Amino acid sequence: MALYPAAGTCPRCGGPAEPAPLSGTGTLWTWTVQRYAPKSPPYREPPGGFVPFAVGYVELAEGVRVAAVLDVDDLGDVRIGMPLTLGAGDGVPRARPVRESP
């Protein structure tokens, strides 16, 4: 089982859990567009108002699928199988398209 953020115990059985490093790169397994603002709290509407955004599952090389917000410039560019890099931080993981070098 994969858990984010990491915890010292398994949420299912309460037994010990150990962190495992993941590659941070993968491909988009599936996705959707969030067209309505999430319920509050904890959501806080940004100063410019709600803007639709993409969320999806990124399948990492290790076979783990991670739910993430997709940081893309154009929602029309999102495609299943597109290569992504995954970043962790405060809140939910975020994924960005891998930029091809010229």
Side-chain angles (χ1 to χ4, degrees):
M1 168 188 289
L3 181 64
Y4 181 85
T9 58
C10 173
R12 287 189 184 159
C13 71
E18 295 181 19
L22 299 172
S23 63
T25 60
T27 58
L28 186 58
W29 186 71
T30 194
W31 65 282
T32 190
V33 175
Q34 176 72 35
R35 298 194 186 277
Y36 302 95
K39 291 183 179 180
S40 197
Y43 176 74
R44 291 187 200 115
E45 188 167 320
F50 175 78
V51 176
F53 61 94
V55 292
Y57 280 97
V58 180
E59 186 167 43
L60 302 178
E62 297 82 5
V64 175
R65 293 181 188 136
V66 179
V69 172
L70 307 178
D71 289 326
V72 295
D73 295 330
D74 183 348
L75 295 175
D77 292 339
V78 179
R79 299 283 182 265
I80 290 175
M82 67 188 294
L84 298 166
T85 58
L86 191 65
D90 294 338
V92 298
R94 301 185 81 86
R96 288 179 162 59
V98 172
R99 302 287 181 216
E100 295 181 20
S101 55

